[in-house]
């Protein structure tokens, strides 16, 4: 079935791109896009997203971790005479609403995780935080497309037989604390309280950052979303790979998300004078670390589907005439099969131990976080594939090697994801790029998906 609303979708897509440009200008650093958890830049991004949600007719709240949550009420709210009603420029509701110009504030004093009625609900969204020197679309695109879907419904005067909630998650990338999914872990009820004591490079703990952002770290457990009314979680995201572009397809349906392990690895040698310590007597931490980096690369190349990355490294004392005494580096290991990923981590630790023993360097192996691989719910993925066909395109299933907020959310409800083609498969890079035409297709597909889900619910 061909695209039913090409002009309207293009208009919404143009608006999505314009809003992505605006969010892309909000950064902690003047010359590159960097937006970490619980920073002034995140506050500004949250307030913009909340404003766009309100303009689309949603009531809006912010929880204690800093997730922004908008809700477009279901059809039954009118049928049952609940008092919720459209009022032109905004949605009036008996439930708490953030006023148009009021700064966002969490409901820190409340122990009610969800102030809205328990009725069938679909959650859509993604995250607003970024990596360092980021592109504009990884995360924000999913939030903005979800808002556009609600705007389409509002313009048509339509309500669905279920409520829609749009979530802009507070932290997915883990840049500030090297622990991903802080936002979605809170909503899904899988937040580890031990995270509260973790400190950033300025020795600010997660707990302190939450309080400075206006939240209450002691109330995070109460922000867990009930899953009993949920139909699922659906996330739109750039592909972060070259498959769709190579096959000439604007969108694809995600089949599964790779599991991931994050580690810190420390090599403790002995600093010494670069001119006086003989080579055979040195305990050079950087040489040991360098050998390990090559071992990481070699192992990943040997195993199909395994990816392993050392993305950060610091060397101390860091002087040109001093033998490195300490190296700290990150290690990121991923595979769609959890057993293969776990075996790879075990083998890499053994190799690190062997390298350190041979070089008389001490090893510290610090596990930060692991997330299991996730299979997207077959019935939701099937609906997305049906929606792709209804929009006039061939459905293509493909796995995701990147992690997403759908991973923690899968512990709460069924999940599905739609990928949007990105130029060259480039992501986590300022060159990240999507076409407005592909964004229009994504909006159309998600509209069709909502229609398929609505018909299923009407028949239930």
């Amino acid at each position: 079935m061909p695209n039913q609303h090409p002009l309207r979708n293009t208009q919404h897509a143009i608006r999505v791109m314009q809003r992505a440009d605006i969010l892309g200008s909000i950064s902690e650093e003047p010359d590159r896009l960097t937006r970490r958890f619980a920073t002034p830049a995140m506050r500004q991004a949250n307030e913009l997203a909340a404003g766009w949600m309100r303009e689309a007719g949603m009531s809006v709240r912010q929880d204690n971790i800093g997730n922004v949550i908008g809700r477009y009420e279901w059809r039954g709210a009118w049928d049952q005479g609940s008092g919720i009603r459209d009022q032109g420029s905004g949605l009036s509701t008996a439930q708490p609403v953030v006023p148009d110009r009021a700064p966002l504030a969490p409901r820190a004093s409340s122990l009610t995780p969800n102030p809205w009625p328990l009725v069938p609900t679909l959650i859509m969204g993604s995250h607003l935080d970024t990596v360092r020197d980021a592109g504009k679309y990884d995360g924000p695109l999913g939030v903005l497309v979800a808002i556009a879907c609600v705007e389409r419904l509002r313009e048509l005067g339509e309500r669905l037989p279920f409520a829609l909630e749009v979530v802009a998650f507070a932290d997915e990338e883990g840049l500030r604390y090297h622990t991903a999914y802080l936002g979605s872990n809170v909503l899904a009820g899988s937040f580890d309280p031990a995270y509260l004591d973790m400190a950033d490079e300025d020795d600010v703990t997660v707990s302190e950052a939450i309080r400075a952002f206006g939240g209450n770290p002691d109330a995070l457990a109460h922000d867990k979303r009930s899953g009993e009314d949920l139909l699922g979680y659906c996330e739109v995201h750039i592909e972060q790979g070259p498959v769709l572009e190579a096959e000439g397809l604007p969108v694809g349906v995600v089949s599964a998300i790779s599991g991931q392990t994050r580690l810190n690895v420390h090599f403790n040698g002995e600093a010494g004078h670069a001119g006086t310590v003989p080579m055979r007597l040195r305990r050079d931490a950087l040489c040991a670390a360098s050998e390990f980096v090559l071992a990481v690369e070699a192992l990943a190349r040997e195993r199909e589907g395994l990816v392993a990355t050392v993305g950060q490294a610091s060397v101390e004392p860091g002087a040109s005439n001093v033998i490195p005494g300490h190296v700290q580096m990150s290690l990121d290991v991923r595979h769609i099969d959890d057993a293969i990923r776990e075996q790879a981590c075990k083998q890499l630790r053994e190799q690190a131990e062997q390298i350190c023993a041979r070089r008389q360097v001490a090893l510290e192996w610090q596990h930060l976080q692991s997330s299991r691989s996730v299979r997207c719910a077959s019935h939701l993925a099937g609906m997305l594939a049906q929606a792709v066909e209804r929009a006039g395109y061939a459905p293509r299933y493909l796995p995701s090697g990147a992690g997403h907020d759908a991973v923690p959310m899968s512990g709460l409800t069924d999940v599905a994801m739609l990928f949007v083609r990105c130029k060259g498969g480039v992501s986590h890079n300022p060159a990240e790029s999507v076409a407005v035409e592909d964004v229009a297709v994504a909006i159309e597909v998600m509209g069709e998906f909502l229609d398929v889900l609505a018909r299923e619910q009407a028949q239930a």
Side-chain angles (χ1 to χ4, degrees), residues 266-271 285-286 314-317 323-328 364:
H266 297 258
F267 297 87
N268 298 304
E270 184 175 37
L286 182 56
S314 62
V315 181
E316 296 176 357
I323 300 165
H326 175 259
V327 174
Q328 179 272 325
E364 292 180 45

Side-chain angles (χ1 to χ4, degrees), residues 119-144:
V119 298
T121 302
L122 177 73
I123 299 179
M124 301 168 65
S126 193
H127 60 96
L128 292 181
D129 68 309
T130 74
V131 297
R132 181 169 283 111
D133 198 17
K136 294 183 290 188
Y137 303 105
D138 179 346
L141 181 67
V143 177
L144 297 175

Side-chain angles (χ1 to χ4, degrees), residues 212-233:
F213 204 67
N216 179 1
D218 299 325
L220 294 179
H222 301 292
D223 283 326
K224 177 188 182 300
R225 179 65 161 83
S226 169
E228 62 181 290
D229 61 327
L230 293 181
L231 302 176
Y233 168 77

Side-chain angles (χ1 to χ4, degrees), residues 131-216:
V131 297
R132 181 169 283 111
D133 198 17
K136 294 183 290 188
Y137 303 105
D138 179 346
L141 181 67
V143 177
L144 297 175
V145 168
I147 293 172
C149 289
V150 176
E151 287 175 331
R152 278 192 9 154
L153 291 170
R154 182 103 189 285
E155 289 172 4
L156 294 170
E158 292 183 0
R159 296 280 167 171
L160 300 171
F162 51 86
L164 279 176
E165 288 182 13
V166 177
V167 182
F169 287 110
D171 174 271
E172 188 262 8
E173 300 290 3
L175 176 60
R176 185 170 182 182
Y177 292 99
H178 309 294
T179 302
Y181 310 133
L182 292 180
S184 45
N185 271 324
V186 166
L187 197 69
S190 50
F191 183 87
D192 186 348
Y195 293 160
L196 292 173
D197 295 325
M198 291 172 35
D200 65 10
E201 58 191 18
D202 297 316
D203 290 327
V204 178
T205 66
V206 172
S207 180
E208 291 167 340
I210 290 171
R211 290 192 187 280
F213 204 67
N216 179 1

